[in-house]
Amino acid sequence: MRRKMCAAAGAAAAVALLAGCGGQAATGDGDSPYNGSEIEGAFTLPSTEFTDNKGEPYELKADSAGTYTAVFIGFTNCPDICPTTMADMSQAAGMLDEAERDQFRTVFITADPERDDPELLDMWLGSFDPSFVGLTTDLEKTDATAEELGISVSRPEDRSGDYQVDHGGQTLLFDPEGDSKVMWSYGTEPEKIAEDLETVIGEDA
Amino acid sequence: MGARGTAVAASALGALALAAGCGPQEPRIEAADATVRVPLNPDVTSAYLVIENTGGADDTLTGVETEAADEVQMHESVEKDDGTTGMEERAEIPVKAGETVEFASGGLHLMLMDPEELDAGETVPLELHFAESGTVEVQAEVEDVMGEGGQDDGGMDDTGHQDMDHEDMGDMDHGDMQH
């Protein structure tokens, strides 16, 4: 859990990440009311059909409606970035009070559906927080979803042996209507995430 | 747990200091604070450590092995131009005279392929192969990803390694905030 980036570098990286996002309509700058970048309405959860980690159907927009939903795209063979991010989200959720936590959910979408089936996702996510939702679908819908959310995904042509999937390291927070609110870059401290969650949930309370 | 981890780390550090060459024009490698994550996916897990060269000459880490995994690769998480975060394999990691190289989340890390089943609190030996200093062994503590393998007792801070008191170490103590 040790992090290379200190808090200041993390904040700088958040800005750098935005700049690197290729013209996505993210507005995070010094004016952001959050520790993360403000991305108010820049992205909307698509109505894509997934299968969740319990093997049940999960329609991303409809089944996330009514809660604040953090979305991260990764894969379980990812040894470093993905587990660290999930651990951070779990720690952040643990800092919320019960009422806030009831309005918040973390969704992990696999960028590697050929290897990550619901069973593996369930086992993997259970290491962090049994309440986390893991979603899988086919490659085409996976990539379309990633594109809708402005998260880059790139996997090798040859996927026969051990391979790694490159993916954006950011986590996006959506409001209960499925509109984006905040983006946290990789390495954002759990306290900062929790603060933002409290702010966002408090805004509408 | 903390006491045992400290003892293991301290003795490993002492042994390494003795094993490495001590002349002024030789590299002197010390490895400490090694941790392995409990494998979450049976195919892969990660390991982290700090390598310090207190000697007077450069050295290079050329590879890592452990009995706890089929293969160990040296990787670096890098942010790419397309906005993705990916990993690049490193064949060699320079550890220059007087420098400290930190393997930490978000940067350099060891990737253990097909690891054994590992439980939090166990230790596994990592063999670090150096171009000049030969093989240096360090005991790595197996840790739960949520930090329940010895972090929440401050285990990372009591190894006597002066470089470990980063400001971001504050987030190591969240274990007790999980409720």
Side-chain angles (χ1 to χ4, degrees), chain B residues 53-95:
Chain B
N53 182 353
T54 59
D58 298 345
D59 208 340
T60 304
L61 179 64
T62 57
V64 180
E65 288 180 287
T66 179
E67 62 191 31
D70 282 2
E71 186 188 352
V72 181
Q73 297 177 2
M74 303 187 289
H75 281 251
E76 184 161 17
S77 295
V78 291
E79 208 167 277
K80 301 187 173 176
D81 290 342
D82 62 0
T84 62
T85 301
M87 298 199 307
E88 289 180 358
E89 189 169 356
R90 299 277 183 254
E92 299 186 330
I93 310 281
V95 187

Side-chain angles (χ1 to χ4, degrees), chain A residues 50-56 58 106-110 118 121-122 125 131-136:
Chain A
F50 288 88
T51 302
D52 74 13
N53 51 309
K54 302 300 181 191
E56 302 293 326
Y58 190 103
T106 297
V107 169
F108 176 91
I109 298 175
T110 179
L121 284 172
D122 194 54
L125 290 169
S131 76
F132 284 5
V133 177
L135 300 181
T136 178

Side-chain angles (χ1 to χ4, degrees), chain A residues 118-182:
Chain A
E119 197 181 352
L120 183 54
L121 284 172
D122 194 54
M123 184 187 79
W124 192 79
L125 290 169
S127 303
F128 307 101
D129 192 325
S131 76
F132 284 5
V133 177
L135 300 181
T136 178
T137 184
D138 59 43
L139 282 177
E140 194 181 334
K141 282 195 224 167
T142 299
D143 291 348
T145 302
E147 194 174 340
E148 290 244 16
L149 301 182
I151 301 175
S152 307
V153 170
S154 165
R155 59 183 80 73
E157 290 292 320
D158 176 12
R159 298 194 290 280
S160 50
D162 287 313
Y163 63 90
Q164 293 290 309
V165 180
D166 293 349
H167 58 92
Q170 69 268 46
T171 302
L172 271 53
L173 179 69
F174 293 86
D175 69 14
E177 286 75 49
D179 295 321
S180 64
K181 298 285 288 184
V182 185

Side-chain angles (χ1 to χ4, degrees), chain A residues 75-77 112-117 120 161-165, chain B residues 43:
Chain A
F75 64 113
T76 73
N77 279 65
D112 188 18
E114 293 166 314
R115 288 188 293 185
D116 287 342
D117 59 23
L120 183 54
D162 287 313
Y163 63 90
Q164 293 290 309
V165 180
Chain B
D43 293 340

Side-chain angles (χ1 to χ4, degrees), chain A residues 2-5 76-77 79-80 83-84 91 94 123-124 127-128 152 162 164 166-167 186 189 191, chain B residues 33 37 40-41 44 46 48 77 80 82 84-87 102 105-106 111 113 156 164 168 171 174 178:
Chain A
R2 266 181 292 128
R3 263 186 209 76
K4 193 180 184 187
M5 288 187 283
T76 73
N77 279 65
D80 183 36
T84 301
Q91 290 196 341
M123 184 187 79
W124 192 79
S127 303
F128 307 101
S152 307
D162 287 313
Q164 293 290 309
D166 293 349
H167 58 92
Y186 171 75
E189 303 286 338
E191 289 90 347
Chain B
D33 300 315
R37 269 187 185 155
L40 306 172
N41 171 316
V44 65
S46 58
Y48 306 96
S77 295
K80 301 187 173 176
D82 62 0
T84 62
T85 301
M87 298 199 307
E102 190 175 357
S105 184
M111 186 158 155
M113 315 299 288
M156 297 290 295
M164 292 309 299
D168 59 358
D171 71 2
H174 292 156
Q178 290 298 118

